[in-house]
Structure formats: C-alpha cells, structure tokens
Amino acid sequence: MTKENATSREGFTSKFGFIMSCIGSALGLGNIWMFSYKLGAYGGAAFLIPYFLFVFILSTTGLITEFTFGRYFKAGSYIGINTLFKKRNLKSGKIIGLLPTLGITGIFIFYCIVVGWVLKYFALSITGKISTIDTQTYFSNFSGTSSSIPWFLLAVVITLLIVISGVAKGIERLNKIVLPILFVIFIFLMFKSLSLEGAMEGVRYLVIPRWEVLLNAKTWIMALGQAFFTVSLTGCGMVVYGSYINKDFDIPTSSLQTAIFDTLAALLASFIIIPAVFAFNIAPDSGPSLLFITVPKVFQSMPYSSVISSLFFLSIIFAAISSSVSMLEGPVETLLSATNLTRKKATILVSVVCFLLGLPLAVNIGMFGQFADFITIVLSPIGVLIVAICFFYLFDKKTLLKAVNQGSKHPVGSWFVPLGKYVFVTTTILVIILGLIYGSIG
Ligand code: PHE
C-alpha cells in the first residue's frame, strides 16, 4: 500500500473551497488571453453558440468524469488507471497511467513561462515604466531571451510555495482568497473599459453576431479546442482535485458551477479588453501580442495608467497562479502516490525538473510554440481520452452512475453513460485528429 492511504490523504476542507479551487484552475490565461481574441475573430456573439454548446455539454461531462474517477479511487489518474488495469488483467497500466501526468506537467512548463511574462508586466506597471516603453520592441526584446528566465523562475517558485503548503493550507486557501478579489477587479475594470469614449464600437464588435462564421468549420474547431482547455481537462489535474473530496460533495453541480464561472470570467475579460482596444483605435490582435503589446499600448493612453495596468496584470497573476497550482499538484500527487517522498521533497523535485526543462523553451519562442502545441493538441487530449475510456468502458453502468451521483442533489440519469461513452469519447478523439490536421485548435 502507498503511504497515502484513505485516512492520511489530504483533502479540501469545505465544498466552497473545492469549488473555488476548481474555478481557480479553470479560470486562467485561456480565459483572458485566448477567449477574448477568439470571440472577436470568430464571429462575436455567434462564436458563443458552439462555445456554450461544447462547454456545457462536453466540458461538463469531462469534469464529472474526472472528479468522479479521482473520488472513486481516492487517487490521481496514475494509481486509478493502474488499479483498473490490474483488476481487468490488462497490460501497460503503468505507462498508460503516466501519460495524463506527463501532459499536465508539459502544460505547467510552458504556462509558467507565460506567467513569468505577466509577472514582468506587473512589475513594469507598478514601477510606472509601462508608460514609457515601446510596447512592440519591448516585448520582442524580452520574451524568448535570457531576460525572461528570472521571471519564469519566479513563476515556478510562487507556485511551488503554495503547493508545498498542501491542499487545504496552500491550494484551497489561496483560491478562497484570490478568486473573489479577482472577480471584483474584473468587474471594476469592465466598467472602466466600458466608460471609455469609443468603447461601444468594441461592444458592438462583441455582441453583434456575424452568423456567416458558423458556416466555417474553423469556428467550431476553435470553440471545441477552447472548451477543453478552459475547464482544465487533462485527465490529471481535475482527477487529483476530485480525489481530495468525499462522498458528500455534489459532483454534477460542482462541474456545472465550474463551467458557469469559467465562462463568466471569460466574458468579463473580453468586455474589459476589446472595448478598451477599440476605444483607442487599435486592432484587436491575436496571440501573445494582444496581452503584451496591444493592451499595454491602451494603458499608455489612459489617465492613471500605472494603477489600472497594475490592477489588470495583478488579476491575471491571480488567475494564472490559481491555475498553475493545479498543474503542479498533478505530478506532485503522482510522485507522492508512487514513492515515499514527502510533499516538500516531491514538490521541489518536480519544480526543479520543470524549470530546467523549460529553460530552452524560455529562450526560444519557436521551440516554445511547438512544445505548447504538441502538449495541448496531442498529449493532453490523449490524457483526457485515457481517463474517459477507462471510466466509460471499464466501469459497469451501475457502479459508474452510483459513483457520479453520490452526494448529488441533482443526480444525472442513465443518459449520462451513452453521452460519455459515445459523444464525449468520440469528440475527444476528434479533438486530437483535428488538432493534428489544423496544427492548433487553440
Ligand atoms: N484552464 C486553464 C486556463 O484556461 C489552463 C489549464 C489547463 C489549467 C489544464 C489546468 C490544467 O488557462
């Protein structure tokens, strides 16, 4: 038996803390950075149709699957998959069980590099320097060069310090404090942005649906990729969070709440960024330039620019760190369950290895992009697929539904099984295939 048996296993101390931590994991750079430009680029309000459809049907099914899998085995996916494979006399459980952990570890590496950029821009904001830089050249001279390394390190160290403190005292506490503050800052910034002269042009851009984009397959593919990433489906992180709850927790409701608040935050972020960008007559660019070139340019033209931009980057730090802790917790939990290491040692070990692996990516943007694409297109959806197949094909229907509905006020019916078995599993395979064809779905 592993050291972490049922009695000594850590856990969330309250339902509120669990929900906050799940929303914290889901709400991250994906919401602020990717969603905003996709909403603009793929038809404004029309994009919301495929997006809502995918988030509320597929992502919620995925979350229910991952939370339940973790709670059922009281373990992360490595042990869960292993146990299941052994019971069924299947081979290669160890290797297959490790893949979801590897996927989330990869996300942690490239994510922390970007969090490092955000930390740097926060520092530029509080020192007031942000108003003096040439945003275009500054970003290209900073990202992908050795000057970004200390900031990458700082992102890893902040995450490490929280994860080392444990599930209740570190992760849960952080999320309970940071998330409400984040929503307050977001709402304030949204009003600020909407009150700018010319902001309504941006609002129109977001809310007037351009229906024709729905005829473009790419709109649907982008919405699908976004839906999976935004609620943190990897077959690892949310499984681990699920393993820290007991049978009184309502999994279907928690999954829906996570999806709702995640979507709300994404919409708020769009209504902060796009109207402000329009108010200053700047094109709402996509990719890294939106957050690190376009938005700082907007701040430069505003009164009290350093206060507003400090608040903006602080809220992004909150969003990003509450996500990165869930990424680091994935491999840390796997290591804890497979070895006799203490949490402190396991966390330091994983962090050091991730930092070292990330170094070549931090100084080479091309490699960084390829790595991030490989992880998000291939490895991470494979992790989702493995857990989904184990859950829907290796559990019997009665056990599965009982495990999902334990503690639930609104139990899911038997329709949930075919939804997962056919629709969710097939779509996950589609995510991988489409990602490979299109090179990226995010
Ligand atoms: N959902 C997070 C975001 O939108 C990213 C994430 C992916 C977090 C996978 C954990 C696991 O930024």
Side-chain angles (χ1 to χ4, degrees), residues 25-31 104 107 111 229-232 234 323 326-327:
S25 168
L27 198 179
L29 293 166
N31 302 60
I104 204 167
I107 297 181
Y111 206 85
F229 187 79
T230 193
V231 298
S232 308
T234 60
S323 297
S326 74
M327 296 167 198

Side-chain angles (χ1 to χ4, degrees), residues 348-381:
I348 294 175
L349 181 64
V350 176
S351 305
V352 170
V353 170
C354 287
F355 175 68
L356 293 178
L357 290 176
L359 280 178
L361 307 175
V363 296
N364 185 333
I365 286 291
M367 225 160 102
F368 166 86
Q370 279 171 353
F371 179 79
D373 277 347
F374 169 72
I375 299 289
T376 48
I377 294 168
V378 187
L379 197 52
S380 173

Side-chain angles (χ1 to χ4, degrees), residues 131-441:
S131 53
T132 60
I133 56 168
D134 174 58
T135 57
Q136 184 82 45
T137 46
Y138 194 90
F139 184 65
S140 39
N141 288 339
F142 168 70
S143 63
T145 70
S146 54
S147 8
S148 68
I149 292 175
W151 300 94
F152 169 39
L153 180 64
L154 185 61
V156 174
V157 169
I158 296 174
T159 312
L160 173 153
L161 290 176
I162 295 155
V163 171
I164 243 178
S165 312
V167 180
K169 291 207 184 106
I171 296 174
E172 183 174 348
R173 193 189 278 172
L174 166 92
N175 282 293
K176 281 202 289 202
I177 299 172
V178 146
L179 268 210
I181 302 178
L182 170 68
F183 272 93
V184 171
I185 301 182
F186 265 23
I187 291 170
F188 167 76
L189 289 175
M190 183 183 71
F191 281 114
K192 178 87 198 128
S193 171
L194 292 178
S195 67
L196 294 168
E197 218 186 301
M200 281 310 129
E201 197 53 43
V203 173
R204 240 170 268 136
Y205 183 75
L206 290 177
V207 301
I208 296 180
R210 279 158 277 137
W211 297 114
E212 65 285 0
V213 296
L214 292 183
L215 298 175
N216 181 353
K218 204 149 180 221
T219 307
W220 293 80
I221 294 164
M222 287 296 161
L224 186 58
Q226 177 73 12
F228 270 54
F229 187 79
T230 193
V231 298
S232 308
L233 294 182
T234 60
C236 182
M238 291 309 207
V239 176
V240 172
Y241 275 12
S243 77
Y244 294 140
I245 59 173
N246 61 40
K247 56 183 182 352
D248 306 328
F249 285 59
D250 185 337
I251 287 182
T253 307
S254 309
S255 306
L256 196 60
Q257 283 167 335
T258 304
I260 291 173
F261 281 97
D262 181 68
T263 304
L264 199 68
L267 289 171
L268 279 172
S270 309
F271 278 86
I272 295 169
I273 296 173
I274 304 292
V277 166
F278 267 82
F280 292 97
N281 270 324
I282 306 171
D285 254 339
S286 63
S289 46
L290 177 67
L291 215 52
F292 301 103
I293 297 173
T294 313
V295 171
K297 217 185 278 172
V298 168
F299 289 139
Q300 290 183 338
S301 345
M302 273 187 185
Y304 306 111
S305 66
S306 78
V307 179
I308 303 287
S309 101
S310 303
L311 270 183
F312 178 76
F313 283 110
L314 182 68
S315 64
I316 301 182
I317 293 172
F318 285 169
I321 298 288
S322 57
S323 297
S324 66
V325 293
S326 74
M327 296 167 198
L328 181 56
E329 182 63 19
V332 166
E333 192 279 341
T334 300
L335 208 57
L336 285 177
S337 62
T339 65
N340 276 325
L341 288 177
T342 59
R343 170 170 282 273
K344 192 172 164 188
K345 283 196 181 129
T347 313
I348 294 175
L349 181 64
V350 176
S351 305
V352 170
V353 170
C354 287
F355 175 68
L356 293 178
L357 290 176
L359 280 178
L361 307 175
V363 296
N364 185 333
I365 286 291
M367 225 160 102
F368 166 86
Q370 279 171 353
F371 179 79
D373 277 347
F374 169 72
I375 299 289
T376 48
I377 294 168
V378 187
L379 197 52
S380 173
I382 287 178
V384 179
L385 185 64
I386 292 171
V387 170
I389 289 179
C390 286
F391 192 59
F392 289 104
Y393 288 86
L394 300 182
F395 273 61
D396 69 80
K397 191 173 164 177
K398 225 172 106 195
T399 317
L400 187 154
L401 284 175
K402 196 174 150 217
V404 169
N405 286 329
Q406 228 174 18
S408 170
K409 283 196 208 80
H410 309 283
V412 298
S414 54
W415 50 264
F416 181 72
V417 180
L419 173 67
K421 208 166 180 166
Y422 306 114
V423 184
F424 185 70
V425 168
T426 315
T427 326
T428 311
I429 297 173
L430 212 64
V431 168
I432 300 167
I433 297 174
L434 290 173
L436 287 171
I437 295 174
Y438 280 82
S440 157
I441 54 171

